[in-house]
Amino acid sequence: MLNRSPAQSARDDTVPRNDWTRAEAGQLYALPFNDLLFRAATIHRANFDPNKVQRSQLLSIKTGGCAEDCGYCSQSAHHASGLKASKLMEVERVLAEARKAKAGGATRYCMGAAWREPKARDMDVVVAMVQGVKALGMETCMTLGMLTDTDIGRLKDAGLDYYNHNIDTSERYYSQVITTRTFAERLDTIARVREAGMKVCSGGIVGMGENEADRVDMLVTLANLDEHPDSVPINMLIAIPGTPLENAEPIDPIDFVRTIALARIMMPRSFVRLSAGRTAMSDELQALCFFAGANSIFVGDTLLTTDNPGEDKDDALFRRLGIEGLDSEAHADPQAADAHHDCTSAADVGCHGHARSA
Ligand code: SAM
Ligand code: DTB
Ligand code: SF4
């Protein structure tokens, strides 16, 4: 398959597969950059409007003091990042923040808690948050650590759209970064969330000292799940002082774009989210990420505990690139590759016919 022209392969690859081999994915990652980008962009256009990017906003509903030892995280009680821990937020405060996010153009609201797993008594509050944010008409996502089946059922009944649970890196590299839980435990939570019928948001972090094979393997694991995660956040490590990864070697920006492109190719209908690390990225790098298939960013001044570019910078970036925010979530169109003309041809580079809004 890799011997065909990039355009031809891209048209065939718009149908999701879950039988990727590491070798095949590694060959894609190592393609000449222009071939890789052309192929990813072609797949992106066959499934989404290439000029629309979703604005998502994050809120840390419970900050710091986490029992896990994730080497990248400011919120682990194992690291001396200097972060002040706080209790679970009150529902009304969360809703006030969500209203502000909606007014600023965010259509998706993601709430994160620094827990290994929620306690039963926290779940009443968390459920009320989901119900309240849903009632504002926003898409909801939560990331609370590991869940019991009871927790999953309660979140689903509350109307939670997505559950975020990242695999973070390859199985091989995982134990170098986190020792308090296993890769298999992560996959187990993801599988049970999926079985319950909720959408899965799962991705990882690059720039943690992993090698290319680790990045490829992480994406192979995600793409070979029974169903692709509906949403795949790709984070660039924010190296936080006091964490074990504070001095990690930054990833080559070109390799970062390669990772985005590979995620787009292997999971053609998933939202690929350009997540943490944008304060360290130039407009040009972000433009390449959008071209390679990223179609969501986190907006606002802060992510969970770290800085984010903020509204003015992102509005300017979107204007510069002629990108618009998504009003509501656009779904990949399964008929797109067959039902429309060949928008890989030079004459059709502006084709938007393959995207549709829900
Ligand atoms: N405690 C929950 C958990 O770990 O599943 C949810 C919160 S956790 C902060 C959400 C995700 O943010 C992590 O899985 C990781 O991928 C990402 N993240 C955390 N710290 C980061 C950092 N310094 N740089 C980049 N991504 C980071
Ligand atoms: C994800 O993959 N990235 C977001 C979201 N899911 C929860 C979190 C990024 C956190 C960056 C570090 C911080 O702000 O603490
Ligand atoms: Fe805790 Fe999540 Fe941070 Fe890991 S990433 S230390 S589980 S808050």
Side-chain angles (χ1 to χ4, degrees):
M1 190 176 68
L2 291 170
N3 293 330
R4 284 188 243 152
S5 76
Q8 181 60 50
S9 300
R11 282 177 58 76
D12 297 344
D13 284 351
T14 52
V15 177
R17 298 169 38 191
N18 57 6
D19 60 352
W20 292 94
T21 66
R22 289 167 164 186
E24 183 186 8
Q27 275 177 287
L28 283 169
Y29 185 94
L31 276 174
F33 190 65
N34 286 337
D35 287 346
L36 176 63
L37 248 65
F38 182 68
R39 187 154 167 180
T42 305
I43 288 173
H44 189 46
R45 283 168 178 269
N47 290 289
F48 293 97
D49 184 332
N51 301 309
K52 290 238 160 89
V53 169
Q54 186 179 30
R55 291 186 176 95
S56 308
Q57 192 143 350
L58 272 167
L59 179 69
S60 179
I61 58 170
K62 196 272 162 207
T63 304
C66 184
E68 304 272 21
D69 71 350
C70 312
Y72 47 78
C73 188
S74 61
Q75 306 200 65
S76 167
H78 299 257
H79 317 320
S81 70
L83 186 76
K84 196 170 164 287
S86 61
K87 289 196 183 131
L88 181 59
M89 259 188 198
E90 282 169 16
V91 178
E92 269 317 313
R93 225 183 115 202
V94 171
L95 299 186
E97 293 298 325
R99 276 185 215 105
K100 276 194 246 167
K102 187 179 174 185
T107 58
R108 171 183 176 88
Y109 205 60
C110 306
M111 293 158 272
W115 288 324
R116 177 175 165 80
E117 70 261 298
K119 295 194 174 63
R121 68 167 182 270
D122 298 323
M123 285 304 294
D124 294 338
V125 182
V126 160
V127 159
M129 290 174 187
V130 175
Q131 288 166 336
V133 175
K134 274 297 275 187
L136 299 177
M138 298 180 87
E139 197 180 297
T140 51
C141 182
M142 281 210 153
T143 180
L144 313 171
M146 291 186 254
L147 298 178
T148 63
D149 287 338
T150 309
D151 297 336
I152 293 174
R154 291 196 67 190
L155 291 171
K156 184 171 173 2
D157 292 346
L160 185 67
D161 295 304
Y162 286 82
Y163 193 70
N164 167 252
H165 205 63
N166 291 341
I167 63 169
D168 281 338
T169 187
S170 67
E171 182 168 14
R172 185 197 70 85
Y173 198 59
Y174 192 87
S175 59
Q176 305 283 308
V177 180
I178 302 152
T179 69
T180 50
R181 56 160 195 258
T182 63
F183 195 72
E185 281 174 315
R186 244 15 214 181
L187 292 175
D188 172 66
T189 301
I190 292 168
R192 287 183 297 104
V193 166
R194 175 62 88 194
E195 267 166 40
M198 250 188 297
K199 289 187 186 170
V200 168
C201 172
S202 188
I205 312 177
V206 292
M208 299 196 293
E210 76 287 341
N211 60 31
E212 286 180 10
D214 292 313
R215 285 171 214 143
V216 168
D217 287 359
M218 172 179 90
L219 294 177
V220 168
T221 298
L222 294 170
N224 284 350
L225 293 174
D226 289 343
E227 271 181 79
H228 292 169
D230 305 86
S231 161
V232 182
I234 305 293
N235 296 277
M236 182 188 273
L237 177 74
I238 299 173
I240 296 170
T243 63
L245 288 174
E246 66 177 322
N247 296 318
E249 180 77 16
I251 183 174
D252 172 356
I254 295 294
D255 285 338
F256 185 75
V257 180
R258 285 183 181 277
T259 308
I260 297 269
L262 190 59
R264 168 51 66 225
I265 293 170
M266 293 173 73
M267 293 169 278
R269 294 178 186 166
S270 304
F271 267 71
V272 174
R273 303 189 189 274
L274 175 57
S275 299
R278 290 195 305 112
T279 51
M281 296 180 201
S282 66
D283 280 6
E284 294 86 341
L285 174 55
Q286 294 181 67
L288 278 176
C289 292
F290 297 137
F291 187 68
N295 56 352
S296 170
I297 56 167
F298 286 116
V299 294
D301 294 337
T302 41
L303 293 166
L304 291 173
T305 69
T306 59
D307 291 345
N308 199 43
E311 192 177 332
D312 292 352
K313 276 200 181 133
D314 285 337
D315 285 352
L317 174 66
F318 276 25
R319 268 199 307 279
R320 234 183 141 191
L321 301 178
I323 282 176
E324 286 176 12
L326 268 183
D327 292 337
S328 58
E329 189 179 335
H331 294 285
D333 184 346
Q335 305 303 317
D338 301 329
H340 299 288
H341 56 277
D342 177 3
C343 60
T344 61
S345 76
D348 272 327
V349 287
C351 173
H352 299 173
H354 287 166
R356 67 170 190 219
S357 289

